[in-house]
């Protein structure tokens, strides 16, 4: 699976959009981009995934660049409960496990 | 059940003792995964089950670690002769299909193991 690079930490004001970047310049054609988050003392939570089209669900939006070498997870109106570590993972559709990196620690402040 | 259930939530054991950690996946989920997370660290893959078989045991750190799954449902992770470096949160996840690609993995809240 391709390697991902994320900033170690970010801050965001409550109510503002949180934009979390991820670089995956070695991504291959059959690899998807997945996002999970881990709130303190809990198991990771699935957020969203995509291949090449932008995706949106009730939690977030995922914007993937046309060359697929980077993506951005957008939380449109961040709340204090969105404070967590966010993991960007690239994996092939038919592989059997997720490999977690170190993620981005997002701190939402009042 | 509604989610992935793990028990116990906390376990303190003496060095050298054996421990068993249990995972109840979501009903109907055929794939089950074990990870562990040491304090302040990322998630480390341990083992993956598809049904009752374990196609990928590559993450088990030593032969003191073993896992089984029965009836395509409950899984038990056993650590023999525990060492202090085994102290971590052990997380279980399940998914509807073998890859978790369609709807992601659902994680339990984990078992916090402390070896003293």
């Amino acid at each position: 699976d391709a390697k991902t690079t994320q900033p170690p930490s970010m801050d965001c004001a409550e109510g503002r959009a949180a934009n979390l970047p991820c670089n995956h310049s070695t991504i291959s054609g059959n690899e998807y981009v997945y996002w999970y988050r881990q709130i303190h003392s809990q198991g990771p939570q699935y957020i969203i995934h995509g291949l090449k089209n932008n995706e949106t669900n009730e939690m977030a939006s995922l914007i993937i660049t046309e060359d697929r070498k980077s993506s951005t997870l957008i939380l449109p109106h961040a709340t204090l409960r969105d404070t967590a570590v966010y993991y960007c993972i690239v994996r092939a559709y038919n592989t059997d496990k997720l490999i977690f990196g170190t993620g981005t620690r997002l701190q939402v402040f009042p | 059940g509604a989610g992935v259930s793990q028990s116990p939530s906390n376990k303190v054991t003496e060095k050298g003792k054996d421990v068993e950690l249990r995972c109840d996946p979501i009903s109907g989920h055929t794939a089950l995964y074990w990870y562990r997370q040491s304090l302040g660290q990322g998630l480390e893959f341990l083992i993956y089950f598809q049904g009752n078989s374990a196609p990928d045991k590559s993450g088990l750190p030593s032969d003191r670690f073993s896992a089984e799954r029965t009836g395509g449902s409950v899984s038990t992770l056993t650590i023999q002769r525990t060492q202090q470096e085994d102290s971590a949160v052990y997380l279980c996840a399940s998914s509807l299909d073998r890859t978790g690609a369609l709807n992601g993995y659902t994680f339990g809240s984990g078992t916090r193991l402390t070896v003293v």
Side-chain angles (χ1 to χ4, degrees):
Chain A
D1 294 332
K3 180 179 171 59
T4 62
T5 304
Q6 299 178 253
S9 64
M10 294 182 64
D11 291 338
C12 179
E14 189 177 21
R16 304 296 294 269
N19 298 287
L20 292 93
C22 180
N23 286 322
H24 32 78
S25 58
T26 61
I27 193 170
S28 61
N30 68 340
E31 290 183 315
Y32 284 67
V33 180
Y34 287 79
W35 284 84
Y36 281 74
R37 72 180 182 184
Q38 188 174 25
I39 296 169
H40 183 61
S41 298
Q42 298 182 22
Q45 176 189 25
Y46 166 80
I47 301 173
I48 197 167
H49 75 280
L51 182 62
K52 52 185 175 182
N53 298 321
N54 297 338
E55 302 288 342
T56 296
N57 63 21
E58 65 278 5
M59 290 183 67
S61 295
L62 174 61
I63 308 298
I64 303 174
T65 58
E66 191 169 344
D67 63 8
R68 304 211 317 124
K69 293 185 177 182
S70 66
S71 60
T72 302
L73 179 74
I74 300 173
L75 307 179
H77 306 286
T79 71
L80 298 178
R81 287 178 294 180
D82 291 323
T83 292
V85 178
Y86 287 77
Y87 297 97
C88 169
I89 302 163
V90 169
R91 57 169 281 183
Y93 189 83
N94 61 352
T95 57
D96 296 332
K97 58 181 180 274
L98 292 173
I99 304 298
F100 287 82
T102 54
T104 295
R105 183 173 298 278
L106 175 69
Q107 179 69 52
V108 181
F109 57 91
Chain B
V4 176
S5 177
Q6 292 187 247
S7 60
S9 55
N10 281 284
K11 176 73 175 177
V12 180
T13 190
E14 292 181 352
K15 179 181 172 181
K17 300 278 190 180
D18 297 351
V19 294
E20 284 190 353
L21 312 180
R22 177 187 168 103
C23 173
D24 276 285
I26 291 174
S27 178
H29 280 197
T30 61
L32 185 148
Y33 313 81
W34 284 97
Y35 287 80
R36 75 174 176 181
Q37 188 169 31
S38 302
L39 186 63
Q41 303 297 310
L43 280 84
E44 176 188 10
F45 169 79
L46 298 178
I47 188 170
Y48 149 69
F49 285 92
Q50 177 60 35
N52 292 334
S53 63
D56 190 346
K57 305 178 183 179
S58 61
L60 294 178
S62 76
D63 59 7
R64 295 187 295 106
F65 287 72
S66 62
E68 65 174 13
R69 187 179 186 196
T70 55
S73 180
V74 173
S75 176
T76 303
L77 177 69
T78 301
I79 309 174
Q80 295 178 311
R81 306 181 301 282
T82 52
Q83 304 294 314
Q84 288 185 327
E85 61 263 28
D86 299 334
S87 296
V89 176
Y90 288 80
L91 290 156
C92 175
S94 69
S95 67
L96 191 59
D97 67 311
R98 75 172 184 88
T99 67
L102 291 176
N103 60 349
Y105 295 11
T106 302
F107 280 83
S109 297
T111 294
R112 182 175 298 278
L113 176 66
T114 304
V115 182
V116 298

